[in-house]
Amino acid sequence: MGRWRLLLPPWGCARAPGSRAPFQPWGQLHVPRAAGGPVGAFEPFPSLQRPPSRCLASSFPLPRQPVPPLAQTLERYLRSLEVLVTPEELEETRQLVQEFGAPGGEGERLQAQLERRAARMENWLSDWWVQSAYLESRLPLTVHSSPAVVLPKQDYSDWRGQLRFAAKLIAGVLDFKAKIDQQALLVEYRGGHPQCMAQYSRLFASCRLPGPKHDGLLLPPPGRRAPTFITVVRNFQFFQLEVYNSDGTPLTVDQLHLQLQRIRGLSWKTDKEPLGVLTGDHRHTWGQAYSTLMRDRLNRESARCIQRSLFTVCLDAPVLKVSDERYPSRVAAQMLHGGGSYSNSGNRWFDKTLQFIVGEDGVCGVLYEQAMADGAPIATIIDHVLDYCKDPDTARAPMTPLPLPPKLYFYITPEIKWDIERAKQNLDILITDLDISCFTYRGFGQGLPKRWGLRPDSLFQVALQLAYYRTHGSLCATSEVVSLRRFHLGRTDAVRPAAPPVLRLARAMETPHSQDEETLALLQAAVESQSARTEQVLAGQGIDRHLLGLKLAAIGDGQRLPGIFMDTAYAIATHCRLLTGQVASRSDCLMVYGPQVPDGYGVCYNPLDAHVNFAITAFNCCRETHAQRLAHTLQRVLDQLARLLGESPGGTGGEGGGDVEGQP
């Protein structure tokens, strides 16, 4: 097998951009000087800018992501601040913006740098985004970064059903991977636009690697055969499971089921150290512990096996059912962080790109590390796997005996033991601090706004703004994450839902005796305004990533940051107390992730035709935020919007009223 690729940010880059020299091992890093730039200048990951394999490419070239005009971004930036700052603060910011955008000023110089970068690179933003948003972050991946997806509850309630479903799930994932390998994966379309499929090539056999100052990414060498094994973890014990026969065909469901039964028989002890909790610690702390762990040869071999495996399957113990009302939120918590060091958190390797969680009680989900990919490809895999699991088994198992899946052993020194205890404590504190509220709103789904000619996502975003306003008495900086995959190697940008039309609607809905006709007109105006901003961002004309690029270009120059980025208004605009987004799936699934800031919320939803699944998170340490309170308010707002649109409000499932369901 060829040498595996270790990808690092450029100030720790293992080879200069364009160099053919092999990547140097971890710990022997050379920091190259970019041509014409200082040491530490931002440069792309060479391999992430490499075109994907033919099976993942469009039948025609996708456009490159544009650099928006500077004047346009500055104008829209000022407009986005109108509902966030006082008139006096806005006027001060306006002066800084005019200075920044003046002819011959700093803005024009930095804009020219971005345009030159866009001319020489396949995507001017994606590598910067991965570096700044993910690899440089020192916060734990758990809650703060890695999203989880809760799958529909499966029809079994014991370990036998668990292993049978896990075997079918593994076969379904391998079936999807075969479509990639055989160049049979069809190009996706969104709104009539073909989507970049490059992210699929990085989902399997990849992993994030911890570092003391920044993380790296591990990818299999291009053009070489991928690994043929996965890792399975049960009772904090990891196993290597070969999932292909010697002739290259994948194991059948029966074969996989047999191997999982053998793994269960080898992992009955429950007194093992939860080594996996190390991967959920603060990145700096985990980076130090990782260096200690990897000193031992046995540990290096076991860790590399996990890192290089195609994906991980976590066979979890049952979720403790405290009450019917809180059960959907408890399930979401299990998928997001494992429930704590004495529950299933040790059954994870949080650095792994793809982890499929199969509980003994029918609770299942997916946890993924998003430096490699965004939510839409994950939803596509989930839809495929769930469809695959519905089909009856047809392949018969060959009579060839299979080897016993080897257990991955770790040598736990007293120093590593202390690291584990510290990680357990830190993770349990983080988990205790997280407040999750999940519910299914059944008053209407995406069908109602479509009948009114309104974009469903825009309506739900306006509803979130109204709920926040009703809860806190003001609007706040909000980031709705949207995909830029219509561009080559595109990742994401942000729509800013907090806007004057929404504020006018919020005030009108709080006014007693307001006329429904006037309120309906304001609602339509707010939704159409949100739709227009969404289209601008989808066309590559957003302000968030453009401003980030200008800021990173200034940092790369080694000069003092322009005043526009040191302004209080910029700090307010980038302190997003609402981190939101929809991850639409054909399946009745729900994505959940933590807030972006300590005094904020994370809100994700999956709109289906007749209902919408919501997950809201907040931190208990902030007295101002309360996930369940916002959930109650959001349901009341949706009921009010349903009446405005001529629909009788229905019930809710989960927390907040109505018939409770065991699955969001």
Side-chain angles (χ1 to χ4, degrees):
M1 181 174 289
R3 192 166 192 170
W4 282 62
R5 295 177 288 162
L6 174 62
L7 308 182
L8 299 165
W11 43 92
C13 193
R15 66 178 181 186
S19 168
R20 297 192 178 185
F23 280 97
Q24 300 175 23
W26 181 270
Q28 302 178 9
L29 303 178
H30 168 65
V31 182
R33 183 186 297 272
V39 172
F42 289 88
E43 287 296 329
F45 297 152
S47 54
L48 294 190
Q49 291 287 317
R50 205 174 283 148
S53 58
R54 285 186 295 118
C55 64
L56 300 177
S58 301
S59 57
F60 50 90
L62 292 174
R64 289 190 178 190
Q65 185 170 331
V67 178
L70 178 62
Q72 171 185 284
T73 292
L74 296 180
E75 177 189 355
R76 291 176 178 173
Y77 170 58
L78 287 173
R79 201 179 306 159
S80 72
L81 294 174
E82 291 177 4
V83 299
L84 302 179
V85 300
T86 65
E88 295 76 18
E89 291 171 329
L90 182 60
E91 186 56 36
E92 292 178 7
T93 300
R94 193 183 307 278
Q95 295 176 10
L96 290 173
V97 167
Q98 290 174 350
E99 178 184 341
F100 181 75
E106 290 178 297
E108 283 195 353
R109 179 178 59 83
L110 296 174
Q111 176 77 0
Q113 287 189 28
L114 293 189
E115 291 171 353
R116 289 194 295 270
R117 177 181 173 90
R120 75 174 188 269
M121 298 181 65
E122 294 182 87
N123 188 297
W124 68 270
L125 174 64
S126 58
D127 292 329
W128 267 353
W129 177 245
V130 171
Q131 292 166 18
S132 61
Y134 303 122
L135 301 187
E136 290 178 14
S137 174
R138 300 291 82 197
L139 292 173
L141 298 185
T142 315
V143 175
H144 292 288
S145 180
S146 296
V149 181
V150 182
L151 303 185
K153 192 175 188 301
Q154 300 303 308
D155 188 21
Y156 65 82
S157 57
D158 59 13
W159 66 266
R160 294 175 180 84
Q162 175 191 34
L163 299 189
R164 191 70 196 177
F165 179 76
K168 197 69 183 286
L169 180 144
I170 294 169
V173 178
L174 296 178
D175 184 69
F176 186 89
K177 183 179 180 298
K179 292 182 180 298
I180 298 175
D181 298 339
Q182 298 167 10
Q183 305 183 6
L185 189 61
L186 298 178
V187 173
E188 298 167 11
Y189 281 77
R190 297 286 186 273
H193 296 275
Q195 303 292 290
C196 179
M197 306 292 283
Q199 294 182 29
Y200 288 102
S201 65
R202 300 195 291 268
L203 288 176
F204 296 101
S206 59
C207 193
R208 185 157 162 174
L209 298 179
K213 295 182 179 180
H214 50 71
D215 289 356
L217 302 175
L218 188 70
L219 291 169
R224 303 293 182 116
R225 187 186 178 194
T228 58
F229 60 89
I230 67 172
T231 44
V232 178
V233 55
R234 180 177 181 270
N235 284 338
F236 311 156
Q237 299 162 70
F238 290 84
F239 294 83
Q240 177 181 342
L241 174 58
E242 288 286 341
V243 291
Y244 292 91
N245 291 299
S246 57
D247 61 357
T249 58
L251 297 189
T252 65
V253 173
D254 288 340
Q255 288 178 305
L256 291 168
H257 185 224
L258 173 63
Q259 294 295 74
L260 292 175
Q261 286 178 311
R262 301 167 98 180
I263 287 174
R264 187 178 190 277
L266 295 169
S267 58
W268 59 273
K269 289 187 177 181
T270 58
D271 59 349
K272 301 300 181 182
E273 290 289 346
L275 184 74
V277 300
L278 287 174
T279 64
D281 206 354
H282 189 282
R283 301 308 291 175
H284 174 74
T285 309
W286 166 220
Q288 292 177 326
Y290 182 76
S291 298
T292 303
L293 185 73
M294 298 295 275
R295 291 174 193 161
D296 182 82
R297 180 179 177 181
L298 177 66
N299 294 344
R300 286 197 303 272
E301 292 176 351
S302 296
R304 286 170 180 167
C305 182
I306 297 171
Q307 292 162 349
R308 296 175 178 179
S309 63
L310 293 174
F311 54 89
T312 296
V313 173
C314 311
L315 299 178
D316 275 12
V319 176
L320 179 63
K321 190 169 182 178
V322 289
S323 70
D324 286 344
E325 184 181 5
R326 292 290 298 171
Y327 187 64
S329 300
R330 179 60 67 93
V331 170
Q334 281 287 323
M335 299 304 112
L336 189 62
H337 50 60
S341 61
Y342 293 99
S343 184
N344 291 305
S345 294
N347 253 26
R348 307 285 186 269
W349 193 272
F350 289 103
D351 292 350
K352 193 65 185 157
T353 302
L354 275 179
Q355 296 189 92
F356 295 90
I357 302 161
V358 183
E360 193 171 314
D361 50 0
V363 168
C364 301
V366 179
L367 181 68
Y368 72 97
E369 202 290 301
Q370 58 180 346
M372 296 289 188
D374 302 312
I378 305 300
T380 301
I381 293 178
I382 289 172
D383 286 339
H384 177 88
V385 170
L386 291 179
D387 288 344
Y388 185 94
C389 290
K390 295 175 184 175
D391 294 334
D393 301 338
T394 55
R396 299 186 62 181
M399 301 301 294
T400 308
L402 297 172
L404 196 68
K407 185 175 181 178
L408 303 179
Y409 289 94
F410 289 90
Y411 177 56
I412 307 298
T413 64
E415 187 176 3
I416 296 173
K417 168 70 172 175
W418 187 87
D419 288 336
I420 293 174
E421 291 302 317
R422 179 177 57 179
K424 286 166 60 177
Q425 183 180 20
N426 292 340
L427 184 60
D428 289 341
I429 291 172
L430 175 61
I431 289 173
T432 302
D433 191 31
L434 186 68
D435 181 21
I436 300 181
S437 181
C438 299
F439 68 94
T440 297
Y441 180 75
R442 301 194 177 278
F444 63 89
Q446 58 185 353
L448 177 62
K450 285 181 178 179
R451 291 197 296 273
W452 278 81
L454 301 175
R455 183 190 291 241
D457 177 68
S458 298
L459 179 68
F460 296 127
Q461 283 295 323
V462 169
L464 281 171
Q465 292 297 308
L466 297 174
Y468 186 93
Y469 182 89
R470 191 168 293 180
T471 303
H472 295 281
S474 65
L475 299 182
C476 70
T478 305
S479 173
E480 182 199 2
V481 181
V482 298
S483 173
L484 293 182
R485 287 174 61 218
R486 69 168 63 173
F487 300 109
H488 181 54
L489 299 181
R491 293 297 300 260
T492 64
D493 204 338
V495 183
R496 293 279 174 167
V502 179
L503 183 58
R504 288 191 289 270
L505 173 63
R507 288 171 175 169
M509 293 182 69
E510 296 297 299
T511 302
H513 312 299
S514 59
Q515 297 296 318
D516 284 352
E517 294 81 2
E518 296 176 4
T519 306
L520 178 59
L522 290 173
L523 172 63
Q524 291 174 311
V527 172
E528 289 168 1
S529 171
Q530 170 68 10
S531 297
R533 288 189 298 274
T534 302
E535 284 301 324
Q536 292 168 0
V537 176
L538 290 174
Q541 302 299 312
I543 65 173
D544 277 63
R545 304 297 188 259
H546 187 200
L547 289 174
L548 174 66
L550 294 167
K551 181 181 179 181
L552 293 180
I555 293 174
D557 279 350
Q559 304 295 324
R560 180 182 61 87
L561 271 180
I564 186 177
F565 300 116
M566 305 294 288
D567 183 29
T568 302
Y570 184 75
I572 293 173
T574 53
H575 186 82
C576 293
R577 297 186 67 183
L578 268 178
L579 175 64
T580 76
Q582 73 161 355
V583 178
S585 168
R586 289 188 288 103
S587 309
D588 204 4
C589 301
L590 176 63
M591 180 173 286
V592 57
Y593 44 69
Q596 182 173 304
V597 295
D599 57 344
Y601 298 94
V603 183
C604 194
Y605 51 95
N606 179 18
L608 298 164
D609 285 340
H611 65 274
V612 190
N613 295 328
F614 284 95
I616 300 177
T617 59
F619 289 117
N620 291 315
C621 64
C622 179
R623 294 183 178 180
E624 297 178 13
T625 57
H626 192 285
Q628 192 167 359
R629 184 173 65 226
L630 184 63
H632 280 293
T633 307
L634 177 58
Q635 292 168 32
R636 290 195 297 269
V637 167
L638 290 170
D639 284 345
Q640 193 171 353
L641 297 185
R643 284 189 291 268
L644 277 174
L645 297 174
E647 191 87 355
S648 298
T652 57
E655 298 159 33
D659 293 332
V660 178
E661 296 191 352
Q663 176 70 31

